[in-house]
Amino acid sequence: MRTAGTAGAEGTAGAEVPDEAVTPLIRGIAVIRRLTEADGMSSLSGLERATGLARSTVDRITATLARMGYVRLDGRDAVLAPRLMELGNAYLAALRLPRLLDAHADALADELDESVSLAVGDRDGVRFIHQATRRRAMSLSFRIGDLLPAERTAPGPLFASEWSEQEWTQWRERRTADPEDRGFPAVPARSRPYEGSTDVTTRPAAQLPTVGDDFEQRAVEAGGLGWALDDQLIEPGLVAVSMPVREAGRIACVVNVVSHTSRHSAAGLRDTLLPRLRTAVAEMERALALDREPTPERTTPPGKSGARVDAWAAGNVTPPSPSGLADWTSASKQELGREFVESLARGLTVITAFGEGRAELTLTAVAQATGLARATARRALITLEHLGYVTTHDRVFRLTPRVLGLGFPPLSRTSLPEIAAPHLAELSRRLQDSVSLAVLTGDEIQYTGRVSTRRIMNVNVTVGTRLPAYATSLGRVILADLPEARVTEVLTGGLPERLHPLTPPTPLTSSTPRTITDPDRFRAELDRVRKAGYAMVEEELEQGLRSIAVPVRDRGGRAVAAVNVAMHSSRRTAEACVSDVLPELHATATRIEADLHIAGRFGRVQLS
């Protein structure tokens, strides 16, 4: 055994590191955690200071993570990339709960017009696995994957009602070692209590007591009542009520309804919402009971899982065959030499062996799913168990909620423009042309991403600009994906069909002599776009302007946005656009889609 003195180690303070633990994996995970705590971005020198690692080690780790698509190197900064979310997705897929309960939580939020969360216990903390947040001026900032101290939440007492004495001991030790909750960056730190003050529930969060509060009593009461309140325990003004969702007699997760004191007091929230919350919990428990637990040994290699294939197919490397990720890491090592930390890449790959129908895996199953040798998989699992990302019982391994702490919180709030930005920049760099991202808003397209080139004659469009969808390549590839009724709305200005049964009006107006304004011609053009998979518009919006666009599709295959390249018609012929630009456009859209599919698997990605 080694002591936990390895730079960046995150095992229990003072705990011994197993002799078979993989030190590069420990260090790599430390770098990911520091980036997570820095809200997704840090300078390389900042990572060096935060982890205590040598700069050369930080450089090698970030180069390896960049090769895997988990971070993006932007000058001297490292930035978390959406593809890293496949680690958290593996845990959430294995957990089953988001798939079964997310829709119930969303419906409850809509009905109550309050934010609703699903939470699971993570040692002596609470970690969110789903958020249905109401968009208000006063809204909540918690994200999927955020970790909160159990004693400062409504779900905490419910989970604690099932704690063993050992777990209570661990909680007391943590409270003593970290009285200000500095280990929970998602919540405001708290200071020492007022002298002689004893009232916990009405005191501002920054002045909550550090030890000896009534959490143990609240856990006993919550266990008996079957619900719990948070009366401004995290920060002033925030109130919540929670109820557990049970499976096989144990708490599977907790539903948490959150509001603020301008809308409800804690008691008012309880009295008003508890009856509906009970009904929702009963529905969730029925959903769990109806779902049959998958067979633990029925494994699907990571290469066959949708998110994994999308991720690797979108990278700048050849995607591995099923169970061939070990071969890919070997090839990367040969290409990049010492700059690629193969043991780190293989260790993180082990996490992706878990997923839907693969909640519990034996060592043999992990080795088969990843293509790793049993000895390599075993050392990775030993390391992950030491760090708290894996638990084992009767030679079967499971992921823990701590996996969500590997980049998921900052990435869970990413938007499509943020996802697309580096891909648009790379496409513009390769083509030396202006590149844009847009979404459909009513009958117009709105530019949400833009990279311009430095030319004397350039396409003058900025983010936020709106243009008529029918006259743009961006609009046409999105319109071509819509139902006929929606296209009719565009052609008729939204008037009901009964008002124009014979001669439907058209809002299509000419910007240039080449603009298509005839509805029949326009429908024929959309049919061509639909079959070809791209749209090219030549001088219909402005004379001399040529653009070509392809759609960006969500996980369900729906065109939710489009990417285009625009230029003066003298720069490239139409034929050159198809032969030279279109393949690059398709490749860029594929990369954006891959990141979008991963980011949107267990959450909603804002399109603008």
Side-chain angles (χ1 to χ4, degrees):
M1 292 282 185
R2 310 190 299 274
T3 62
T6 303
E10 62 168 38
T12 304
E16 293 183 328
V17 180
D19 290 335
E20 293 180 273
V22 183
T23 298
L25 179 56
I26 294 175
R27 292 172 171 172
I29 285 178
V31 168
I32 295 174
R33 290 183 65 246
R34 299 302 177 262
L35 277 169
T36 303
E37 292 167 1
D39 208 31
M41 182 175 72
S42 173
S43 66
L44 297 179
S45 58
L47 290 174
E48 178 186 1
R49 292 190 299 270
T51 61
L53 297 169
R55 176 58 185 269
S56 60
T57 301
V58 170
D59 289 345
R60 294 178 64 217
I61 288 171
T62 53
T64 301
L65 295 173
R67 176 71 169 183
M68 299 181 74
Y70 286 175
V71 305
R72 177 169 51 87
L73 297 178
D74 185 4
R76 297 181 179 180
D77 294 331
V79 183
L80 294 181
R83 200 170 303 173
L84 179 63
M85 294 178 74
E86 70 177 5
L87 301 181
N89 284 347
Y91 165 74
L92 293 173
L95 186 64
R96 299 167 46 246
L97 298 179
R99 171 175 62 85
L100 297 172
L101 305 183
D102 282 5
H104 293 278
D106 293 344
L108 182 63
D110 290 338
E111 179 180 344
L112 302 180
D113 195 26
E114 300 288 356
S115 295
V116 174
S117 308
L118 298 179
V120 294
D122 186 355
R123 297 191 176 185
D124 61 353
V126 170
R127 202 177 289 271
F128 294 112
I129 60 170
H130 180 70
Q131 291 280 6
T133 304
R134 312 313 291 166
R135 301 190 71 176
R136 296 194 180 98
M138 288 288 293
S139 60
L140 302 177
S141 61
F142 293 130
R143 306 159 299 184
I144 297 175
D146 271 337
L147 179 67
L148 278 63
E151 67 274 12
R152 291 176 65 180
T153 68
L158 293 164
F159 288 118
S161 69
E162 295 186 342
W163 282 357
S164 66
E165 184 53 41
Q166 180 182 1
E167 289 170 311
W168 276 110
T169 299
Q170 292 172 346
W171 173 78
R172 296 184 191 103
E173 291 174 349
R174 188 263 296 168
R175 289 294 305 279
T176 301
D178 183 17
E180 298 180 354
D181 293 339
R182 301 290 178 182
F184 297 88
V187 299
R190 53 182 173 178
S191 60
R192 297 287 176 179
Y194 288 129
E195 185 70 27
S197 181
T198 58
D199 185 3
V200 176
T201 58
T202 60
R203 194 173 312 150
Q207 295 155 347
L208 288 172
T210 56
V211 291
D213 67 12
D214 63 349
F215 180 57
E216 296 183 52
Q217 179 60 34
R218 287 193 290 124
V220 173
E221 293 174 353
L225 294 171
W227 52 266
L229 286 178
D230 168 3
D231 188 356
Q232 307 179 75
L233 294 173
I234 291 177
E235 66 179 20
L238 188 148
V239 291
V241 59
S242 289
M243 284 192 69
V245 178
R246 296 183 180 275
E247 185 176 29
R250 300 282 295 178
I251 297 177
C253 69
V254 168
V255 186
N256 190 45
V257 182
V258 186
S259 188
H260 54 80
T261 51
S262 298
R263 292 174 59 84
H264 296 278
S265 66
L269 190 71
R270 174 199 62 204
D271 296 341
T272 303
L273 304 185
L274 203 55
R276 182 60 191 95
L277 185 54
R278 283 198 177 96
T279 301
V281 165
E283 293 169 352
M284 292 181 184
E285 290 178 343
R286 280 194 292 271
L288 293 183
L290 290 173
D291 184 72
R292 187 169 56 189
E293 182 72 27
T295 303
E297 289 295 331
R298 187 180 65 200
T299 64
T300 301
K304 289 185 178 179
S305 66
R308 190 67 179 181
V309 169
D310 286 343
W312 292 97
N316 297 318
V317 293
T318 302
S321 60
S323 301
L325 294 174
D327 294 336
W328 178 86
T329 59
S330 297
S332 296
K333 181 67 174 179
Q334 291 180 356
E335 179 180 343
L336 300 181
R338 69 182 305 274
E339 294 304 309
F340 184 79
V341 186
E342 188 173 9
S343 57
L344 168 59
R346 290 184 167 184
L348 293 176
T349 293
V350 164
I351 294 176
T352 66
F354 297 83
E356 185 80 34
R358 306 189 306 276
E360 296 181 335
L361 296 176
T362 63
L363 171 59
T364 298
V366 171
Q368 291 174 345
T370 58
L372 296 173
R374 276 177 55 91
T376 302
R378 179 174 175 273
R379 291 191 65 198
L381 288 167
I382 288 173
T383 307
L384 293 171
E385 183 180 9
H386 165 69
L387 297 178
Y389 297 98
V390 166
T391 60
T392 181
H393 179 70
D394 291 336
R395 299 185 179 182
V396 172
F397 297 90
R398 295 182 66 98
L399 296 180
T400 73
R402 180 172 279 202
V403 173
L404 291 175
L406 298 178
F408 213 92
L411 291 171
S412 68
R413 291 284 177 89
T414 192
S415 66
L416 180 56
E418 291 170 329
I419 289 172
H423 302 293
L424 299 181
E426 176 60 22
L427 178 62
S428 180
R429 186 193 64 78
R430 289 199 303 270
L431 297 179
Q432 293 299 300
D433 278 308
S434 297
V435 179
S436 301
L437 175 79
V439 296
L440 187 66
T441 303
D443 298 337
E444 299 175 315
I445 54 125
Q446 180 177 12
Y447 285 81
T448 57
R450 175 79 175 162
V451 179
S452 298
T453 55
R454 292 185 177 180
R455 294 183 180 278
I456 295 176
M457 186 167 56
N458 205 351
V459 180
N460 186 22
V461 175
T462 59
V463 171
T465 298
R466 294 193 181 200
L467 295 173
Y470 69 89
T472 64
S473 60
L474 290 161
R476 287 183 184 175
V477 291
I478 302 176
L479 291 172
D481 194 64
L482 297 179
E484 174 60 25
R486 181 69 180 88
V487 175
T488 299
E489 287 183 11
V490 174
L491 294 174
T492 62
L495 292 176
E497 187 175 356
R498 61 183 173 81
L499 298 182
H500 48 78
L502 298 177
T503 56
T506 174
L508 309 188
T509 58
S510 296
S511 297
T512 75
R514 301 189 64 172
T515 308
I516 298 176
T517 59
D518 178 73
D520 291 335
R521 281 190 61 202
F522 186 75
R523 283 191 170 91
E525 176 63 14
L526 289 187
D527 286 340
R528 189 204 67 76
V529 170
R530 194 176 295 113
K531 293 173 183 176
Y534 72 93
M536 185 183 298
V537 170
E538 300 197 54
E539 299 186 288
E540 293 190 46
L541 184 67
E542 184 176 330
Q543 290 182 334
L545 177 63
R546 174 179 290 132
S547 66
I548 183 170
V550 297
V552 174
R553 300 183 183 276
D554 63 13
R555 289 179 60 85
R558 182 173 61 99
V560 295
V563 179
N564 87 339
V565 174
M567 68 203 79
H568 190 269
S569 56
S570 63
R571 175 154 166 72
R572 283 189 179 90
T573 64
E575 292 75 18
C577 284
V578 174
S579 63
D580 301 338
V581 177
L582 185 59
E584 296 279 3
L585 259 179
H586 276 307
T588 297
T590 297
R591 294 187 180 100
I592 294 172
E593 288 172 347
D595 287 349
L596 174 62
H597 297 172
I598 292 174
R601 188 176 181 189
F602 292 104
R604 295 176 181 174
V605 177
Q606 294 295 321
L607 298 181
S608 59

